[in-house]
Every structure is written in C-alpha cells, then in structure tokens.
Coordinates of all heavy atoms in Angstrom, one line a residue:
A1 N 0.9 -1.2 0.0 CA 0.0 0.1 -0.1 C 0.9 1.2 0.0 O 1.4 1.7 -1.0 CB -0.9 0.0 1.3
G2 N 1.1 1.8 1.1 CA 2.1 3.0 1.0 C 1.3 4.2 0.9 O 0.1 4.3 0.8
V3 N 2.0 5.4 1.1 CA 1.5 6.8 1.0 C 1.3 7.2 -0.5 O 2.3 7.2 -1.3 CB 2.3 7.6 1.9 CG1 1.7 9.1 1.9 CG2 2.3 7.1 3.3
Q4 N 0.2 7.8 -0.8 CA 0.1 8.5 -2.1 C 0.6 9.8 -2.1 O 0.3 10.6 -1.2 CB -1.4 8.5 -2.5 CG -2.0 7.2 -2.9 CD -1.3 6.7 -4.2 OE1 -0.6 5.8 -4.3 NE2 -1.7 7.3 -5.4
P5 N 1.5 10.1 -2.9 CA 2.1 11.5 -2.9 C 0.9 12.5 -3.3 O 0.0 12.2 -4.1 CB 3.1 11.5 -4.0 CG 2.9 10.3 -5.1 CD 2.1 9.4 -4.1
N6 N 1.0 13.7 -2.6 CA 0.1 14.7 -3.0 C 0.8 16.0 -3.2 O 2.1 16.1 -3.2 CB -1.0 14.9 -1.9 CG -0.4 15.2 -0.5 OD1 0.7 15.8 -0.5 ND2 -1.0 14.8 0.5
E7 N 0.0 17.1 -3.4 CA 0.6 18.4 -3.6 C 1.6 18.8 -2.6 O 2.6 19.3 -2.7 CB -0.6 19.4 -3.6 CG -0.3 20.8 -4.2 CD -1.7 21.6 -4.2 OE1 -2.0 22.1 -3.2 OE2 -2.2 21.5 -5.2
V8 N 1.2 18.6 -1.2 CA 2.0 19.0 -0.1 C 3.4 18.2 -0.2 O 4.5 18.8 0.1 CB 1.3 18.8 1.3 CG1 2.2 19.1 2.3 CG2 0.1 19.8 1.2
S9 N 3.4 16.9 -0.2 CA 4.5 16.1 -0.3 C 5.4 16.4 -1.5 O 6.7 16.6 -1.3 CB 4.2 14.6 -0.3 OG 3.5 14.1 -1.4
Y10 N 4.9 16.6 -2.7 CA 5.6 17.0 -3.8 C 6.3 18.4 -3.6 O 7.5 18.6 -3.9 CB 4.8 17.2 -5.1 CG 4.8 15.8 -5.9 CD1 3.8 15.0 -5.9 CD2 6.0 15.4 -6.7 CE1 3.8 13.7 -6.6 CE2 6.0 14.3 -7.4 CZ 5.0 13.5 -7.4 OH 4.9 12.3 -8.1
N11 N 5.5 19.4 -3.1 CA 6.1 20.9 -2.9 C 7.1 20.7 -1.8 O 8.2 21.4 -1.9 CB 4.9 21.7 -2.6 CG 4.0 22.0 -3.7 OD1 4.4 21.7 -4.8 ND2 3.0 22.6 -3.4
A12 N 7.0 19.9 -0.7 CA 8.1 19.8 0.2 C 9.3 19.2 -0.4 O 10.4 19.7 0.0 CB 7.5 19.0 1.4
T13 N 9.1 18.2 -1.3 CA 10.3 17.6 -1.8 C 11.0 18.6 -2.8 O 12.2 18.6 -2.8 CB 9.9 16.2 -2.5 OG1 9.2 15.5 -1.5 CG2 11.2 15.5 -2.9
I14 N 10.3 19.2 -3.6 CA 10.9 20.3 -4.4 C 11.6 21.3 -3.8 O 12.7 21.7 -4.1 CB 9.8 20.8 -5.4 CG1 9.2 19.7 -6.3 CG2 10.3 22.0 -6.2 CD1 7.9 20.2 -7.2
S15 N 11.0 21.8 -2.7 CA 11.7 22.7 -1.8 C 12.9 22.2 -1.1 O 14.0 23.0 -1.2 CB 10.7 23.2 -0.6 OG 9.6 24.0 -1.2
A16 N 12.9 20.9 -0.8 CA 14.2 20.3 -0.3 C 15.3 20.3 -1.4 O 16.5 20.6 -1.1 CB 13.9 19.0 0.3
C17 N 14.8 20.0 -2.6 CA 15.8 20.1 -3.8 C 16.4 21.3 -4.0 O 17.6 21.5 -4.3 CB 15.1 19.4 -5.1 SG 14.7 17.7 -4.9
E18 N 15.5 22.4 -3.9 CA 16.0 23.7 -4.1 C 17.0 24.1 -3.1 O 17.9 24.6 -3.5 CB 14.7 24.7 -3.9 CG 15.1 26.1 -3.8 CD 14.3 27.0 -3.0 OE1 13.1 26.6 -2.6 OE2 14.8 28.1 -2.7
K19 N 16.7 23.7 -1.8 CA 17.7 24.1 -0.8 C 19.0 23.2 -0.9 O 20.0 23.9 -0.5 CB 17.1 23.9 0.6 CG 16.0 24.9 1.0 CD 15.3 24.4 2.3 CE 14.2 25.6 2.6 NZ 13.4 25.9 1.6
A20 N 19.1 22.1 -1.5 CA 20.1 21.2 -1.7 C 20.9 21.6 -3.1 O 21.8 20.9 -3.3 CB 19.8 19.8 -1.6
G21 N 20.4 22.5 -3.7 CA 21.0 22.9 -5.1 C 20.7 21.8 -6.1 O 21.5 21.8 -7.0
Q22 N 19.6 21.1 -6.0 CA 19.4 20.1 -7.0 C 18.2 20.4 -7.9 O 17.2 19.9 -7.9 CB 19.0 18.7 -6.2 CG 19.9 18.2 -5.4 CD 21.1 17.6 -6.1 OE1 21.0 16.9 -7.1 NE2 22.3 18.0 -5.6
W23 N 18.6 21.4 -8.9 CA 17.6 22.0 -9.7 C 17.1 21.1 -10.6 O 15.9 21.1 -11.0 CB 18.2 23.2 -10.4 CG 19.1 22.9 -11.5 CD1 20.5 22.9 -11.4 CD2 18.9 22.6 -12.8 NE1 21.0 22.5 -12.6 CE2 20.1 22.4 -13.5 CE3 17.7 22.7 -13.6 CZ2 20.3 22.0 -14.8 CZ3 17.8 22.5 -15.0 CH2 19.0 22.1 -15.6
E24 N 17.9 20.1 -11.2 CA 17.3 19.2 -12.1 C 16.4 18.2 -11.5 O 15.3 17.8 -12.2 CB 18.6 18.3 -12.7 CG 19.4 19.2 -13.7 CD 20.8 18.7 -14.0 OE1 21.5 18.2 -13.0 OE2 21.0 18.5 -15.2
K25 N 16.6 17.8 -10.3 CA 15.7 16.9 -9.6 C 14.3 17.7 -9.3 O 13.3 17.1 -9.5 CB 16.3 16.3 -8.3 CG 15.4 15.4 -7.6 CD 15.1 14.1 -8.4 CE 14.3 13.2 -7.7 NZ 13.7 12.1 -8.4
A26 N 14.6 18.8 -8.9 CA 13.3 19.7 -8.7 C 12.5 19.9 -10.0 O 11.3 19.6 -9.8 CB 13.7 21.1 -8.2
L27 N 13.1 20.1 -11.0 CA 12.4 20.2 -12.3 C 11.8 18.8 -12.8 O 10.6 18.7 -13.1 CB 13.3 20.6 -13.5 CG 12.7 20.9 -14.8 CD1 11.6 22.0 -14.8 CD2 13.8 21.2 -15.8
S28 N 12.5 17.7 -12.6 CA 12.0 16.4 -12.8 C 10.7 16.1 -11.9 O 9.8 15.5 -12.5 CB 13.1 15.4 -12.4 OG 12.6 14.0 -12.5
L29 N 10.7 16.5 -10.6 CA 9.6 16.2 -9.8 C 8.3 17.1 -10.2 O 7.3 16.6 -10.2 CB 9.9 16.6 -8.3 CG 10.9 15.6 -7.6 CD1 11.3 16.3 -6.3 CD2 10.0 14.4 -7.2
L30 N 8.6 18.3 -10.7 CA 7.5 19.2 -11.3 C 6.8 18.5 -12.4 O 5.7 18.5 -12.5 CB 8.1 20.6 -11.6 CG 7.1 21.5 -12.2 CD1 6.2 22.1 -10.9 CD2 7.7 22.7 -12.9
R31 N 7.7 18.0 -13.3 CA 7.3 17.3 -14.6 C 6.5 16.1 -14.2 O 5.6 15.7 -15.1 CB 8.4 17.1 -15.4 CG 9.0 18.4 -16.0 CD 8.2 19.3 -16.8 NE 8.8 20.4 -17.3 CZ 8.3 21.5 -17.2 NH1 7.2 21.9 -16.7 NH2 9.0 22.6 -17.8
E32 N 6.9 15.4 -13.2 CA 6.3 14.0 -12.9 C 5.0 14.2 -12.2 O 4.2 13.2 -12.2 CB 7.2 13.1 -12.2 CG 7.1 13.2 -10.7 CD 8.0 12.1 -10.1 OE1 9.1 11.9 -10.6 OE2 7.8 11.7 -9.0
M33 N 4.7 15.3 -11.6 CA 3.4 15.5 -10.8 C 2.1 15.2 -11.6 O 1.4 14.5 -11.1 CB 3.4 16.9 -10.2 CG 4.3 17.3 -9.2 SD 4.3 19.0 -8.5 CE 2.8 19.0 -7.5
P34 N 1.9 15.8 -12.8 CA 0.7 15.3 -13.6 C 0.4 13.9 -13.7 O -0.7 13.3 -13.5 CB 0.7 16.3 -14.8 CG 1.7 17.3 -14.5 CD 2.6 16.7 -13.6
G35 N 1.5 13.2 -14.0 CA 1.5 11.8 -14.3 C 1.1 11.0 -13.1 O 0.6 9.9 -13.1
A36 N 1.3 11.5 -11.8 CA 1.1 11.0 -10.5 C -0.4 11.5 -10.1 O -0.7 11.2 -9.0 CB 2.1 11.3 -9.5
G37 N -1.0 12.3 -10.9 CA -2.3 12.6 -10.7 C -2.3 13.9 -9.6 O -3.4 14.1 -9.0
V38 N -1.3 14.6 -9.6 CA -1.1 15.8 -8.8 C -0.8 17.0 -9.7 O 0.1 17.0 -10.4 CB 0.0 15.6 -7.8 CG1 0.1 16.9 -6.8 CG2 -0.2 14.3 -6.9
Q39 N -1.6 18.0 -9.6 CA -1.5 19.2 -10.3 C -0.5 20.1 -9.7 O -0.8 20.6 -8.5 CB -2.8 19.9 -10.6 CG -3.7 19.2 -11.7 CD -2.9 19.0 -13.0 OE1 -2.6 17.9 -13.4 NE2 -2.5 20.1 -13.7
P40 N 0.5 20.5 -10.3 CA 1.4 21.6 -9.8 C 0.7 22.9 -9.6 O -0.2 23.1 -10.3 CB 2.4 21.8 -10.7 CG 2.4 20.6 -11.8 CD 0.9 20.2 -11.7
N41 N 1.0 23.6 -8.4 CA 0.5 24.8 -8.1 C 1.6 25.9 -8.1 O 2.7 25.6 -8.5 CB -0.3 24.8 -6.8 CG 0.5 24.6 -5.6 OD1 1.7 24.6 -5.7 ND2 -0.1 24.2 -4.5
E42 N 1.2 27.0 -7.7 CA 2.2 28.2 -7.7 C 3.4 27.8 -6.8 O 4.5 28.2 -7.1 CB 1.5 29.5 -7.2 CG 0.6 30.2 -8.1 CD -0.8 29.6 -8.1 OE1 -1.1 28.6 -7.5 OE2 -1.8 30.2 -8.9
V43 N 3.0 27.3 -5.7 CA 4.2 26.8 -4.8 C 5.3 25.8 -5.6 O 6.4 26.0 -5.4 CB 3.7 26.1 -3.4 CG1 4.7 25.7 -2.6 CG2 2.9 27.2 -2.7
S44 N 4.7 24.9 -6.2 CA 5.4 24.0 -7.0 C 6.3 24.8 -8.0 O 7.6 24.4 -8.0 CB 4.6 23.0 -7.8 OG 3.5 22.5 -7.0
Y45 N 5.7 25.5 -8.7 CA 6.5 26.4 -9.7 C 7.5 27.2 -9.0 O 8.7 27.4 -9.5 CB 5.6 27.2 -10.7 CG 5.2 26.4 -11.9 CD1 4.0 25.6 -11.8 CD2 5.9 26.4 -13.0 CE1 3.6 24.9 -12.9 CE2 5.5 25.6 -14.1 CZ 4.3 24.9 -14.1 OH 4.0 24.1 -15.1
N46 N 7.1 28.0 -8.0 CA 8.0 29.0 -7.4 C 9.2 28.2 -6.8 O 10.4 28.8 -7.0 CB 7.4 29.7 -6.3 CG 6.3 30.7 -6.7 OD1 6.2 30.9 -8.0 ND2 5.4 31.1 -5.9
A47 N 9.1 27.1 -6.2 CA 10.3 26.4 -5.6 C 11.1 25.9 -6.7 O 12.3 25.9 -6.6 CB 9.7 25.2 -4.8
T48 N 10.6 25.5 -7.8 CA 11.4 25.0 -8.9 C 12.2 26.2 -9.6 O 13.3 26.1 -9.9 CB 10.5 24.2 -10.0 OG1 9.8 23.2 -9.4 CG2 11.4 23.6 -11.1
I49 N 11.4 27.3 -9.8 CA 12.1 28.5 -10.3 C 13.1 29.0 -9.4 O 14.2 29.3 -9.9 CB 11.0 29.6 -10.4 CG1 10.0 29.3 -11.6 CG2 11.8 31.0 -10.8 CD1 8.9 30.4 -11.8
S50 N 13.0 29.0 -8.1 CA 14.0 29.3 -7.1 C 15.2 28.3 -7.2 O 16.4 28.7 -7.1 CB 13.4 29.3 -5.7 OG 12.6 30.3 -5.5
A51 N 15.0 27.0 -7.4 CA 16.0 26.1 -7.5 C 16.8 26.4 -8.8 O 18.1 26.4 -8.7 CB 15.5 24.7 -7.7
C52 N 16.3 26.7 -9.9 CA 16.9 27.2 -11.2 C 17.7 28.4 -11.0 O 18.9 28.6 -11.3 CB 16.0 27.3 -12.3 SG 15.2 25.8 -12.7
E53 N 17.0 29.4 -10.2 CA 17.8 30.6 -9.8 C 19.1 30.4 -9.2 O 20.1 30.9 -9.4 CB 16.8 31.6 -9.1 CG 17.5 32.9 -8.7 CD 17.9 33.0 -7.2 OE1 17.1 32.2 -6.4 OE2 18.6 33.6 -7.0
K54 N 19.0 29.5 -8.0 CA 20.1 29.3 -7.2 C 21.2 28.5 -7.9 O 22.4 28.8 -7.6 CB 19.7 28.5 -6.0 CG 18.9 29.3 -5.0 CD 18.7 28.6 -3.7 CE 18.1 29.5 -2.6 NZ 16.6 29.6 -2.6
A55 N 20.9 27.8 -9.0 CA 21.8 27.1 -9.8 C 22.4 27.9 -10.9 O 23.2 27.4 -11.7 CB 21.3 25.8 -10.3
G56 N 21.9 29.1 -11.1 CA 22.3 29.9 -12.2 C 21.8 29.5 -13.6 O 22.3 29.9 -14.7
R57 N 20.6 28.9 -13.5 CA 19.9 28.5 -14.7 C 18.8 29.4 -15.1 O 17.6 29.2 -15.0 CB 19.3 27.0 -14.6 CG 20.3 25.9 -14.2 CD 21.2 25.7 -15.2 NE 20.7 25.4 -16.4 CZ 21.3 24.7 -17.3 NH1 22.5 24.3 -17.3 NH2 20.6 24.4 -18.4
W58 N 19.2 30.6 -15.5 CA 18.2 31.7 -15.7 C 17.2 31.4 -16.8 O 16.1 31.8 -16.7 CB 19.0 33.1 -16.0 CG 19.7 33.1 -17.3 CD1 21.1 32.7 -17.4 CD2 19.1 33.6 -18.5 NE1 21.3 32.9 -18.8 CE2 20.2 33.4 -19.5 CE3 18.0 34.0 -18.9 CZ2 20.0 33.8 -20.9 CZ3 17.7 34.4 -20.2 CH2 18.8 34.2 -21.1
E59 N 17.7 30.8 -18.1 CA 17.0 30.4 -19.1 C 15.7 29.5 -18.6 O 14.7 29.7 -19.0 CB 17.7 29.8 -20.1 CG 18.8 30.5 -20.7 CD 20.2 29.9 -20.1 OE1 20.1 29.5 -18.9 OE2 21.2 29.9 -20.7
K60 N 16.0 28.4 -17.9 CA 15.0 27.6 -17.4 C 14.1 28.3 -16.3 O 12.9 28.1 -16.4 CB 15.7 26.3 -16.6 CG 14.8 25.4 -16.2 CD 13.9 24.8 -17.3 CE 14.5 24.1 -18.4 NZ 13.5 23.6 -19.5
A61 N 14.6 29.3 -15.5 CA 13.7 30.0 -14.5 C 12.7 30.8 -15.3 O 11.5 30.8 -15.0 CB 14.6 30.8 -13.7
V62 N 13.2 31.5 -16.3 CA 12.3 32.4 -17.1 C 11.3 31.5 -18.0 O 10.1 31.8 -18.0 CB 13.2 33.3 -18.0 CG1 12.3 33.9 -19.1 CG2 14.0 34.3 -17.3
S63 N 11.8 30.4 -18.4 CA 10.9 29.4 -19.1 C 9.7 28.9 -18.3 O 8.6 29.0 -18.7 CB 11.7 28.3 -19.7 OG 10.8 27.3 -20.2
L64 N 10.1 28.5 -17.0 CA 9.1 28.2 -16.1 C 8.1 29.3 -15.8 O 6.8 29.1 -15.7 CB 9.7 27.6 -14.8 CG 10.5 26.2 -14.9 CD1 11.3 26.0 -13.7 CD2 9.5 25.1 -15.1
L65 N 8.6 30.5 -15.6 CA 7.7 31.6 -15.2 C 6.7 31.8 -16.4 O 5.5 31.9 -16.1 CB 8.4 32.9 -15.1 CG 7.7 34.1 -14.8 CD1 7.3 34.1 -13.4 CD2 8.7 35.3 -15.1
R66 N 7.3 31.8 -17.7 CA 6.3 31.9 -18.7 C 5.4 30.8 -19.1 O 4.3 30.9 -19.7 CB 7.1 32.2 -20.0 CG 7.9 33.5 -19.9 CD 8.7 34.1 -21.2 NE 9.1 35.3 -21.1 CZ 10.2 35.7 -21.5 NH1 11.0 35.0 -22.1 NH2 10.6 37.0 -21.3
E67 N 5.6 29.7 -18.5 CA 4.8 28.5 -18.7 C 3.6 28.5 -17.8 O 2.6 27.8 -17.9 CB 5.8 27.2 -18.5 CG 5.1 25.8 -18.5 CD 6.2 24.8 -18.1 OE1 7.2 24.7 -18.7 OE2 5.9 24.1 -17.2
M68 N 3.8 29.2 -16.6 CA 2.7 29.1 -15.6 C 1.4 29.4 -16.2 O 0.4 28.7 -15.7 CB 3.1 30.1 -14.5 CG 4.3 29.5 -13.5 SD 4.8 30.6 -12.2 CE 3.4 30.4 -11.1
P69 N 1.0 30.6 -16.9 CA -0.2 30.8 -17.4 C -0.8 29.6 -18.2 O -2.0 29.5 -18.2 CB 0.0 32.1 -18.2 CG 1.2 32.7 -17.6 CD 2.1 31.5 -17.2
D70 N 0.0 29.0 -19.0 CA -0.5 27.9 -19.8 C -0.9 26.7 -18.8 O -1.8 25.9 -19.2 CB 0.5 27.3 -20.7 CG 0.9 28.3 -21.8 OD1 0.3 29.2 -22.1 OD2 2.1 28.2 -22.3
A71 N -0.3 26.7 -17.6 CA -0.7 25.7 -16.6 C -1.9 26.2 -15.8 O -2.3 25.4 -14.9 CB 0.4 25.3 -15.8
G72 N -2.5 27.3 -16.3 CA -3.6 27.9 -15.4 C -3.2 28.6 -14.1 O -4.1 28.6 -13.3
L73 N -2.0 28.9 -14.1 CA -1.5 29.5 -12.7 C -1.1 30.9 -13.0 O -0.6 31.3 -14.2 CB -0.3 28.7 -12.2 CG -0.6 27.3 -11.9 CD1 0.6 26.5 -11.7 CD2 -1.7 27.2 -10.9
S74 N -1.2 31.8 -12.1 CA -0.7 33.1 -12.2 C 0.5 33.3 -11.5 O 0.6 33.1 -10.1 CB -1.8 34.1 -11.6 OG -3.1 34.0 -12.2
P75 N 1.6 33.7 -12.1 CA 2.8 34.1 -11.4 C 2.6 35.2 -10.4 O 1.9 36.1 -10.6 CB 3.8 34.5 -12.5 CG 3.2 34.0 -13.7 CD 1.7 34.0 -13.6
D76 N 3.3 34.9 -9.1 CA 3.1 36.0 -8.1 C 4.4 36.7 -7.9 O 5.3 36.5 -8.7 CB 2.5 35.3 -6.9 CG 3.4 34.3 -6.3 OD1 4.6 34.1 -6.7 OD2 2.9 33.4 -5.6
V77 N 4.5 37.5 -6.8 CA 5.7 38.3 -6.5 C 6.9 37.3 -6.3 O 8.0 37.7 -6.8 CB 5.6 39.1 -5.3 CG1 6.8 39.7 -4.7 CG2 4.5 40.2 -5.5
I78 N 6.7 36.2 -5.7 CA 7.8 35.2 -5.5 C 8.3 34.7 -6.9 O 9.4 34.5 -7.1 CB 7.3 34.0 -4.6 CG1 7.1 34.6 -3.3 CG2 8.4 33.0 -4.5 CD1 6.3 33.7 -2.3
S79 N 7.4 34.4 -7.8 CA 7.7 33.9 -9.1 C 8.6 34.7 -9.9 O 9.7 34.5 -10.4 CB 6.5 33.5 -9.9 OG 5.4 32.9 -9.3
Y80 N 8.2 36.1 -9.9 CA 8.8 37.1 -10.6 C 10.2 37.4 -10.0 O 11.2 37.6 -10.7 CB 8.0 38.3 -10.8 CG 7.1 38.4 -11.8 CD1 5.7 38.0 -11.5 CD2 7.4 38.3 -13.2 CE1 4.7 38.0 -12.6 CE2 6.5 38.3 -14.3 CZ 5.1 38.1 -13.9 OH 4.3 38.1 -15.0
S81 N 10.2 37.5 -8.7 CA 11.5 37.8 -8.0 C 12.5 36.8 -8.2 O 13.6 37.2 -8.5 CB 11.2 37.9 -6.5 OG 12.3 38.1 -5.8
A82 N 12.1 35.4 -8.1 CA 13.1 34.4 -8.5 C 13.7 34.4 -9.9 O 14.8 34.3 -10.1 CB 12.5 33.1 -8.1
A83 N 12.8 34.7 -10.7 CA 13.1 34.7 -12.3 C 14.0 35.9 -12.4 O 15.0 35.8 -13.2 CB 11.9 34.7 -13.1
I84 N 13.7 37.1 -11.9 CA 14.5 38.4 -12.1 C 15.9 38.2 -11.4 O 16.8 38.6 -12.0 CB 13.7 39.5 -11.6 CG1 12.5 39.8 -12.5 CG2 14.6 40.8 -11.5 CD1 11.5 40.9 -11.9
S85 N 15.8 37.6 -10.3 CA 17.1 37.3 -9.7 C 18.0 36.4 -10.4 O 19.3 36.6 -10.5 CB 16.9 36.8 -8.2 OG 18.1 36.5 -7.5
A86 N 17.4 35.3 -11.1 CA 18.1 34.5 -11.9 C 18.8 35.2 -13.1 O 20.0 35.0 -13.4 CB 17.4 33.3 -12.3
C87 N 18.0 36.1 -13.7 CA 18.6 36.9 -14.8 C 19.7 37.9 -14.2 O 20.7 38.0 -14.9 CB 17.5 37.9 -15.5 SG 16.3 36.8 -16.4
E88 N 19.5 38.5 -13.1 CA 20.5 39.4 -12.4 C 21.8 38.7 -12.3 O 22.9 39.2 -12.6 CB 19.9 40.0 -11.3 CG 20.8 41.1 -10.5 CD 21.6 40.4 -9.4 OE1 21.0 39.5 -8.8 OE2 22.7 40.9 -9.2
K89 N 21.7 37.6 -11.7 CA 22.9 36.8 -11.3 C 23.8 36.5 -12.7 O 24.9 36.3 -12.5 CB 22.7 35.6 -10.6 CG 22.2 35.8 -9.2 CD 21.9 34.5 -8.4 CE 21.5 35.0 -7.1 NZ 21.1 33.7 -6.2
A90 N 22.9 36.4 -13.7 CA 23.6 35.9 -15.0 C 24.0 37.1 -15.8 O 24.5 37.1 -17.0 CB 22.7 35.0 -15.8
G91 N 23.8 38.3 -15.3 CA 24.1 39.6 -16.1 C 23.1 39.8 -17.2 O 23.4 40.4 -18.2
R92 N 22.0 39.2 -17.1 CA 21.0 39.2 -18.3 C 19.8 40.3 -17.9 O 18.7 40.0 -17.9 CB 20.3 37.9 -18.5 CG 21.3 36.8 -18.6 CD 22.2 36.9 -19.9 NE 21.5 37.0 -21.1 CZ 21.8 36.6 -22.2 NH1 23.1 36.4 -22.5 NH2 21.1 36.6 -23.3
W93 N 20.3 41.5 -17.8 CA 19.4 42.6 -17.4 C 18.2 42.8 -18.4 O 17.2 43.2 -18.0 CB 20.0 43.9 -17.0 CG 20.9 44.4 -18.0 CD1 22.1 44.3 -18.4 CD2 20.5 45.4 -19.0 NE1 22.4 44.9 -19.5 CE2 21.4 45.7 -19.9 CE3 19.2 46.1 -19.3 CZ2 21.3 46.6 -21.0 CZ3 19.0 46.9 -20.3 CH2 20.0 47.2 -21.1
E94 N 18.6 42.5 -19.6 CA 17.5 42.8 -20.6 C 16.4 41.8 -20.5 O 15.2 42.3 -20.5 CB 18.1 42.5 -22.2 CG 19.3 43.6 -22.5 CD 20.7 42.9 -22.2 OE1 20.8 42.0 -21.4 OE2 21.6 43.5 -22.7
E95 N 16.7 40.5 -20.2 CA 15.6 39.6 -20.0 C 14.8 39.9 -18.7 O 13.6 39.8 -18.7 CB 16.2 38.2 -19.7 CG 16.6 37.6 -21.1 CD 18.0 37.9 -21.7 OE1 18.6 38.8 -21.1 OE2 18.2 37.6 -22.7
A96 N 15.5 40.4 -17.7 CA 15.0 40.7 -16.4 C 13.9 41.9 -16.7 O 12.7 42.0 -16.1 CB 16.0 41.2 -15.3
L97 N 14.2 42.9 -17.4 CA 13.3 44.0 -17.9 C 12.2 43.5 -18.6 O 11.1 44.1 -18.5 CB 14.1 45.1 -18.6 CG 15.1 46.0 -17.8 CD1 15.9 46.9 -18.7 CD2 14.4 46.6 -16.7
S98 N 12.3 42.4 -19.4 CA 11.2 42.1 -20.3 C 10.1 41.2 -19.5 O 9.1 41.0 -19.9 CB 11.7 41.1 -21.4 OG 12.0 39.9 -20.9
L99 N 10.4 40.9 -18.2 CA 9.5 40.2 -17.3 C 8.5 41.1 -16.8 O 7.4 40.8 -16.4 CB 10.2 39.4 -16.3 CG 11.2 38.4 -16.7 CD1 11.8 37.7 -15.6 CD2 10.5 37.3 -17.5

C-alpha cells in the first residue's frame, strides 16, 4: 500500500531539492506531478524557479515563469522575484526587464 504523493509532499520535496541545489531533480519532480495525478500549483513552480535561480539556470527559470499561465497559474511576486534574480545573477538585465 504506502502513502500516495500529494501536492504537499511534492512541494516539500521540490523545496528540499531547491535548498540542496538540486535544480534538475526539482524540475523532474515538477514534470512528474501530473502523471502521478497531482496538479502543480504556484508553490510547486516557485520552488522550482528558485532552484533554477540558485543554480544559475536563468533560461530555465524564465521558461518556467512563462509556462505558468499555460498551466492555469498566475505568477506572483515570488515567481517574478526568483526569475528576475536568476537573470540578474547571470548579467541578463535585458531579460529581467522584459519580465
């Protein structure tokens, strides 16, 4: 039997990956959620965007931010802040301004 993963368990795991610098694992978990019957929410995306930001993956952070509306989600201050910070760390101020 075992425990069925849900939104909370996925988000906690993605946040742990973010803190451990495991951006690829965080992204993998985000991508696997729908197949497990769990819809990603703003927290899921924000933690994954933050993981990408901390790893210097500005392109992926911006891509995830732009994907949120297609997933039926509205980026919030945390979403934008993490994506802008990722651009800033990479010296990509033009992209930051476009957000």
Side-chain angles (χ1 to χ4, degrees):
V3 178
Q4 283 295 105
N6 63 21
E7 196 175 84
V8 173
S9 61
Y10 267 104
N11 289 347
T13 307
I14 290 171
S15 290
C17 291
E18 174 215 339
K19 289 173 179 51
Q22 299 294 315
W23 73 272
E24 290 166 308
K25 183 62 180 168
L27 183 60
S28 174
L29 287 164
L30 179 75
R31 297 295 184 226
E32 92 178 28
M33 288 176 76
V38 181
Q39 282 308 114
N41 62 13
E42 287 85 353
V43 174
S44 316
Y45 272 89
N46 289 349
T48 308
I49 292 169
S50 291
C52 293
E53 176 258 328
K54 288 187 167 92
R57 304 296 304 202
W58 70 270
E59 304 101 325
K60 185 53 69 179
V62 170
S63 172
L64 287 165
L65 178 75
R66 292 191 170 138
E67 179 183 305
M68 289 179 74
D70 293 336
L73 302 171
S74 297
D76 59 19
V77 171
I78 296 167
S79 316
Y80 280 104
S81 179
I84 289 168
S85 179
C87 292
E88 180 264 325
K89 286 180 179 175
R92 307 299 298 204
W93 61 270
E94 298 95 340
E95 282 82 359
L97 287 176
S98 78
L99 301 175

